């Protein structure tokens, strides 16, 4: 029937018929996908200094969660991932450095064809793209313990209300830490 079908990586489907009846296939090679290098920095949220010891993984945001790279952060050094194709990815902190809280949120980001990175689903206090790199922020663990206090009846250990309680530091000024009135059946 004279029909010509073009297939393969060079096929654009443009056909020209020359004066002598020769078919001329005009194809342009499909452009190669541009790959990018992305930088990831793991920092202390209080001072933005790069910290040592966070285990981090980047996967493709696909059904297989294909691992793109996995590493442990190094103090004063960003990590580079080379040959990253445009697409959607997930950055995850597997474990936090000693003394820091782990970021439990999976950070989703997109690498555009021009290499621009867009972070979605998290606030800038957790992760942001700034100065050409993804910056993942860890907060230090609190060093102040949390304690519960109950005022109880000595005869049955039930919490009782109405007692005025004050907690102070054991220092020269007896600095006030907290004060409250106890509530029945409730610890403070």
């Amino acid at each position: 029937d004279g029909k010509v079908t073009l297939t393969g990586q060079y096929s654009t489907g443009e056909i020209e018929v020359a004066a002598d009846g020769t078919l001329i296939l005009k194809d342009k090679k499909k452009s190669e996908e541009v790959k990018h290098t992305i930088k990831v920095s793991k920092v202390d949220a209080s001072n933005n200094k790069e910290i040592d010891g966070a285990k981090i993984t980047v996967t493709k945001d696909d059904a297989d969660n294909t691992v793109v790279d996995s590493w442990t952060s190094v103090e004063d050094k960003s990590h580079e991932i080379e040959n990253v194709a445009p697409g959607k990815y997930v950055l995850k902190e597997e474990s936090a450095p000693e003394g820091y809280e782990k970021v439990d949120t999976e950070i989703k980001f997109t690498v555009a064809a021009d290499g621009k990175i867009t972070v979605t689903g998290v606030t800038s206090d957790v992760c942001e793209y700034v100065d050409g790199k993804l910056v993942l922020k860890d907060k230090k663990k609190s060093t102040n313990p949390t304690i519960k206090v109950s005022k109880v009846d000595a005869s049955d250990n039930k919490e009782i209300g109405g007692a005025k309680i004050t907690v102070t530091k054991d220092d020269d000024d007896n600095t006030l830490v907290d004060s409250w009135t106890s509530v029945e059946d409730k610890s403070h």
Side-chain angles (χ1 to χ4, degrees), residues 85-98:
K88 294 182 178 192
Y89 296 89
V90 177
L91 173 70
K92 183 177 180 184
E93 182 173 29
E94 304 294 338
S95 65
E98 176 111 12

Side-chain angles (χ1 to χ4, degrees), residues 124-170:
S124 62
D125 65 327
V126 174
C127 184
E128 64 183 331
Y129 184 68
V130 62
D131 296 330
K133 61 184 161 186
L134 279 168
V135 179
L136 183 61
K137 302 173 183 181
D138 269 3
K139 295 178 182 173
K140 288 186 178 177
K141 287 183 179 176
S142 173
T143 56
N144 296 328
T146 301
I147 59 171
K148 286 187 177 184
V149 178
S150 292
K151 174 68 174 169
V152 298
D153 182 322
S155 66
D156 61 9
N157 277 339
K158 289 188 177 181
E159 293 172 319
I160 56 175
K164 295 189 186 300
I165 301 170
T166 301
V167 176
T168 59
K169 282 187 178 181
D170 186 17

Side-chain angles (χ1 to χ4, degrees), residues 110-122:
T110 302
V111 178
D114 64 0
K116 183 180 178 197
I117 294 176
T118 305
V119 179
T120 57
V122 293

